[in-house]
C-alpha cells in the first residue's frame, strides 16, 4: 500500500545557499534551515537535510515526499560544463539547408555540447503532409561516422508538432546504430519555430548527464539521512515532475528556482496576483504571479545566448544581490555585476573581509542587521550612492514587468531582499513576509504536478471539439506521467490559436493540466 502524504521536505539548491524546509499535510511550515551550497551537490543537500532535521520536532521517517529545485542545469549551460556531447539531427533537407543547426550559438557552448550536426531529407508541411520522404540511410552514415564521440542525440523535424512521424523513425534508427543512448525529440519539448525548438531539444539532450548527477546526489543524500520517500524535482512553471521524467526532460528544470520563489511568495502572503522580487546573493529575478502561478513568457527565451521556445517563467533578471560588489569607478560608483556569492560571510566588510557589497550598504543604511556595523567606519566607498543605484535598477525592472498602469503589489523574498528599501517606486505596497529567506524551498514543498501540451492539429475530417479533447487528454497524461494523482487532475488552462492563410484548416492548442501529488 502507498504511504499517505505526511510531511514534505522542500529543498532549493541555489548558487549561494542550499535551503531546506519541512511542511505538514496542511502546508504549515514546521522547520527551516540554510547552509552554503557546496561544489559537491550531494554533500550540500545532505547538510541541508541534516540541518533541518536538527530543528524539526518530528522524526525524519515521517517525511513521505521530497521536492528539490536547483539552478544546476542553468549553471551548466552558462559555464559550458558537464554537458553530454550531442549529435544534432535535423530532418529538413532540402527546405532548411540555408540555416545550419546551432548557427548562432556561442562558440564555447557549441564546442562543449555538440558532437556534430547533420540535416537529412524529410519533414512535414504545416498540414502534416511529408515535404519529402525521410532518408534513413543518410542518418545511418552520419551516426556511424561520429559514433565514437556521441553521448546523446537530439532530433528535430520540420513541423513535428503537427506530425512527429519522421522524428520517431529517426529515433528507431539511432537505437539501431548506437544502442541505448539518450534521445530527445523536439516535438515533446518545444512548439512551433524550428530553430528555437531545435535549440531547446539540443540543450535537453546535453543536460541529461547533469540531470543524472542531480538525481544521484538527491538519492544519495536521502539514503545518508535514512529517508524513504517519493522524490520529485520542480520545473519551470512551479510544479513537480518525477525523477524519471527529469531524466527525459532536464531542460524543464532550468527556470525552477525563480518559479519556486514565486510560488513560495504567494503561499507566505496569500497573494495570487502580484509582482515577486526574488533577491539572491548574485542577482534579482522579478516575475509575476497570475492566479497563484508564475506568468509564462510569451516570447522566445534566451538561455546562455541560445534562443529557445519551451515553457519558461516570464522573468526580468538584474545584477543586484546581497553579494554584489561595489567599487569606486573614477568619480562614480560601479555596482556589480560581479558578486562574492557564497563567500559573503567571509569577504564582505561587515564580516571582516575586504570586498564592499550591497549587504554592507544595507547594514550602513540600517536596512539589515548582520555582521559588525562598526567595520564600515573606515570604508572609502560611497555605500549610500551604491544603494541608490541598486534601488533605481529594481524600480526600472518593476516598471518593465508591469502590464497595467499604476502601482503594483510587490512581494520581496530571498535572502538578499534585506537590501531592498521598505518602499519602492512603482509599488503600492512592498510585502516582506516572515520566512522570506526560504521562500524558494517552501515553493518546492507545496508544489502540485502539471502537464502541458502545445500542438498544431489538422481539422480536416475532425471537429474542433475532437481535437480539443485530444489536447486536454494529452495534457492530463503528461501530468500523470510527471507524478500527479490520476483521479484529481484538472485542466487549468486552455488556449486556441487559429492559423490563417493555409489551404487546409489548422489550429494550435495549448492545454495545461494540474493536480495534487499521487501517493502511488
Amino acid at each position: 500500500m502507498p504511504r499517505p502524504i505526511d510531511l514534505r521536505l522542500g529543498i532549493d539548491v541555489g548558487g549561494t545557499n542550499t535551503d531546506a524546509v519541512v511542511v505538514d499535510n496542511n502546508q504549515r511550515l514546521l522547520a527551516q534551515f540554510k547552509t552554503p551550497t557546496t561544489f559537491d551537490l550531494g554533500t550540500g543537500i545532505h547538510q541541508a537535510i541534516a540541518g533541518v532535521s536538527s530543528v524539526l520536532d518530528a522524526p525524519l521517517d515521517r517525511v513521505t515526499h521530497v521536492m528539490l529545485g536547483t539552478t544546476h542545469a542553468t549553471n551548466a549551460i552558462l559555464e559550458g560544463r558537464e554537458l553530454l556531447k550531442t549529435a544534432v539531427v535535423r530532418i529538413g533537407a532540402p527546405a532548411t539547408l540555408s540555416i545550419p543547426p546551432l548557427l548562432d550559438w556561442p562558440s564555447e557552448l557549441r564546442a562543449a555540447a555538440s558532437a556534430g550536426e547533420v540535416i537529412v531529407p524529410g519533414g512535414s508541411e504545416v498540414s502534416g503532409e511529408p515535404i519529402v520522404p525521410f532518408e534513413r540511410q543518410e542518418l545511418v552514415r552520419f551516426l556511424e561516422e561520429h559514433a565514437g564521440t556521441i553521448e546523446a542525440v537530439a532530433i528535430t523535424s520540420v513541423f513535428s508538432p503537427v506530425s512527429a512521424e519522421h522524428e520517431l523513425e529517426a529515433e528507431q534508427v539511432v537505437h539501431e546504430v548506437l544502442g541505448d543512448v539518450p534521445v530527445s525529440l523536439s516535438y515533446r519539448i518545444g512548439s512551433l519555430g524550428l530553430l528555437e525548438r531545435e535549440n531547446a531539444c539540443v540543450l535537453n539532450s546535453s543536460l541529461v548527464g547533469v540531470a543524472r548527477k542531480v538525481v544521484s546526489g538527491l538519492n544519495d543524500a536521502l539514503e545518508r539521512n535514512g529517508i524513504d520517500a517519493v522524490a520529485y524535482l520542480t520545473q519551470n512553471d512551479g510544479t513537480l515532475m518525477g525523477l524519471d521524467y527529469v531524466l527525459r526532460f532536464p531542460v524543464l528544470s532550468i527556470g525552477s528556482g525563480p518559479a519556486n520563489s514565486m510560488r513560495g511568495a504567494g503561499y507566505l502572503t496569500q497573494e495570487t496576483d502580484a509582482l515577486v522580487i526574488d533577491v539572491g546573493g548574485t542577482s534579482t529575478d522579478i516575475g509575476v504571479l497570475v492566479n497563484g502561478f508564475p506568468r509564462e513568457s510569451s516570447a522566445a527565451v534566451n538561455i546562455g545566448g541560445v534562443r529557445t521556445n519551451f515553457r519558461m517563467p516570464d522573468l526580468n533578471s538584474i545584477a543586484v544581490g546581497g553579494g554584489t560588489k561595489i567599487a569606486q569607478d573614477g568619480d562614480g560608483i560601479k555596482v556589480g555585476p560581479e558578486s562574492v556569492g557564497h563567500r559573503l560571510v567571509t569577504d564582505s566588510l561587515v564580516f571582516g573581509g575586504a570586498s564592499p557589497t550591497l549587504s554592507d550598504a544595507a547594514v550602513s543604511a540600517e536596512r539589515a542587521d548582520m555582521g559588525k556595523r562598526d567595520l564600515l567606519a573606515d570604508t572609502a566607498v560611497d555605500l549610500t550612492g551604491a544603494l541608490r543605484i541598486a534601488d533605481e535598477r529594481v524600480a526600472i525592472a518593476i516598471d518593465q514587468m508591469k502590464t497595467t498602469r499604476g502601482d503594483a503589489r510587490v512581494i520581496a523574498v530571498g535572502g538578499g531582499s534585506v537590501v531592498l528599501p521598505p518602499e519602492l517606486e512603482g509599488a503600492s505596497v512592498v510585502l516582506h513576509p516572515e520566512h522570506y529567506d526560504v521562500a524558494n524551498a517552501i515553493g518546492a514543498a507545496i508544489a502540485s504536478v502539471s502537464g502541458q501540451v502545445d500542438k498544431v492539429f489538422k481539422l480536416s475530417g475532425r471537429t474542433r471539439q475532437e481535437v480539443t479533447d485530444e489536447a486536454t487528454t494529452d495534457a492530463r497524461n503528461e501530468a500523470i506521467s510527471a507524478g500527479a494523482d490520476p483521479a484529481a487532475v484538472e485542466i487549468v488552462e486552455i488556449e486556441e490559436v487559429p492559423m490563417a492563410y493555409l489551404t487546409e484548416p489548422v489550429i494550435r492548442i495549448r492545454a495545461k493540466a494540474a493536480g495534487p501529488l499521487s501517493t502511488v
Side-chain angles (χ1 to χ4, degrees):
M1 292 291 292
R3 296 172 68 190
I5 299 175
D6 188 1
L7 301 185
R8 302 184 187 189
L9 171 63
I11 305 168
D12 188 272
V13 184
T16 303
N17 290 305
T18 296
D19 302 331
V21 301
V22 176
V23 301
D24 64 15
N25 202 21
N26 295 315
Q27 297 188 350
R28 291 178 299 187
L29 181 63
L30 302 181
Q32 67 181 73
F33 191 81
K34 183 184 292 285
T35 184
T37 294
T38 61
F39 179 78
D40 174 11
L41 198 68
T43 298
I45 297 172
H46 164 68
Q47 292 173 350
I49 296 174
V52 79
S53 172
S54 68
V55 295
L56 176 66
D57 190 21
L60 275 182
D61 59 12
R62 284 186 56 192
V63 173
T64 58
H65 292 75
V66 177
M67 298 82 166
L68 173 75
T70 178
T71 59
H72 205 61
T74 307
N75 295 338
I77 294 172
L78 295 177
E79 299 174 21
R81 58 175 174 78
E82 300 179 347
L83 302 177
L84 295 187
K85 286 286 189 178
T86 299
V88 182
V89 177
R90 182 193 295 172
I91 307 172
T96 69
L97 292 174
S98 60
I99 303 179
L102 314 189
L103 178 65
D104 60 346
W105 279 45
S107 57
E108 297 84 357
L109 181 58
R110 183 173 181 171
S114 176
E117 305 101 37
V118 68
I119 306 177
V120 300
S124 303
E125 303 281 2
V126 71
S127 63
E129 298 299 319
I131 301 174
V132 295
F134 168 57
E135 181 52 68
R136 61 181 288 131
Q137 283 307 121
E138 198 165 321
L139 176 57
V140 169
R141 285 193 294 272
F142 167 79
L143 295 174
E144 289 176 343
E145 290 173 1
H146 295 79
T149 58
I150 294 174
E151 297 175 315
V153 180
I155 301 172
T156 306
S157 179
V158 176
F159 282 117
S160 61
V162 182
S163 174
E165 180 181 353
H166 287 177
E167 287 192 3
L168 293 170
E169 288 185 36
E171 182 182 28
Q172 292 179 348
V173 173
V174 169
H175 289 311
E176 290 172 5
V177 176
L178 300 178
D180 187 22
V181 299
V183 179
S184 296
L185 304 183
S186 76
Y187 85 95
R188 294 173 177 161
I189 297 168
S191 58
L192 292 179
L194 175 67
L195 299 181
E196 292 84 357
R197 175 162 43 88
E198 180 177 65
N199 289 343
C201 187
V202 176
L203 288 178
N204 191 76
S205 279
S206 64
L207 286 170
V208 169
V210 174
R212 289 171 176 167
K213 179 178 179 180
V214 171
V215 169
S216 175
L218 175 59
N219 286 333
D220 289 347
L222 294 179
E223 184 176 349
R224 290 172 67 182
N225 285 278
I227 297 177
D228 180 17
V230 182
Y232 299 89
L233 256 67
T234 57
Q235 55 182 325
N236 304 332
D237 59 0
T239 59
L240 302 172
M241 51 184 173
L243 299 188
D244 58 338
Y245 199 81
V246 176
L247 295 174
R248 288 187 289 143
F249 303 109
V251 76
L252 296 183
S253 70
I254 286 178
S256 62
N260 289 342
S261 293
M262 282 188 271
R263 290 275 290 156
Y267 163 82
L268 290 172
T269 60
Q270 299 303 303
E271 296 278 341
T272 58
D273 297 271
L275 285 178
V276 177
I277 303 179
D278 177 22
V279 188
T282 302
S283 63
T284 293
D285 295 317
I286 301 177
V288 183
L289 271 181
V290 179
N291 295 325
F293 285 89
R295 183 177 73 191
E296 287 187 16
S297 174
S298 59
V301 178
N302 189 300
I303 301 170
V306 177
R307 283 172 57 87
T308 65
N309 65 354
F310 60 94
R311 59 182 184 268
M312 280 283 288
D314 188 8
L315 296 173
N316 189 355
S317 299
I318 57 176
V320 171
T324 298
K325 290 185 177 182
I326 304 169
Q328 291 294 142
D329 186 15
D331 295 331
I333 313 161
K334 182 183 178 185
V335 180
E338 297 85 3
S339 171
V340 297
H342 65 272
R343 300 187 307 276
L344 176 70
V345 295
T346 58
D347 289 10
S348 61
L349 300 180
V350 293
F351 290 105
S355 297
T357 66
L358 283 179
S359 289
D360 296 317
V363 171
S364 176
E366 298 186 352
R367 293 182 184 177
D369 182 16
M370 66 180 81
K372 297 180 179 180
R373 190 167 185 269
D374 57 2
L375 294 177
L376 302 175
D378 297 329
T379 180
V381 176
D382 183 2
L383 298 179
T384 301
L387 209 56
R388 184 169 56 250
I389 291 172
D391 292 349
E392 290 173 355
R393 290 179 183 174
V394 173
I396 291 171
I398 289 174
D399 194 54
Q400 291 171 337
M401 293 301 291
K402 291 191 296 187
T403 57
T404 59
R405 296 181 63 183
D407 293 342
R409 295 180 68 81
V410 171
I411 310 169
V413 295
S417 63
V418 293
V419 307
L420 298 177
E423 297 180 356
L424 281 167
E425 184 178 347
S428 59
V429 61
V430 180
L431 302 174
H432 293 269
E434 189 179 7
H435 310 301
Y436 65 90
D437 55 334
V438 289
N440 43 16
I442 291 173
I446 66 169
S448 57
V449 187
S450 75
Q452 182 165 301
V453 168
D454 186 346
K455 292 179 65 176
V456 177
F457 296 86
K458 295 186 294 181
L459 290 175
S460 300
R462 309 175 71 188
T463 66
R464 185 181 300 273
Q465 188 61 49
E466 286 175 339
V467 297
T468 300
D469 290 345
E470 181 179 337
T472 55
T473 298
D474 288 348
R476 285 192 179 94
N477 290 338
E478 282 286 314
I480 293 168
S481 174
D485 183 351
V489 173
E490 297 180 350
I491 299 298
V492 296
E493 180 183 328
I494 187 163
E495 178 184 10
E496 297 182 10
V497 183
M499 302 179 68
Y501 308 110
L502 299 174
T503 56
E504 296 183 43
V506 173
I507 189 170
R508 178 183 177 185
I509 298 180
R510 295 181 61 192
K512 183 176 181 178
L517 288 169
S518 172
T519 59
V520 178

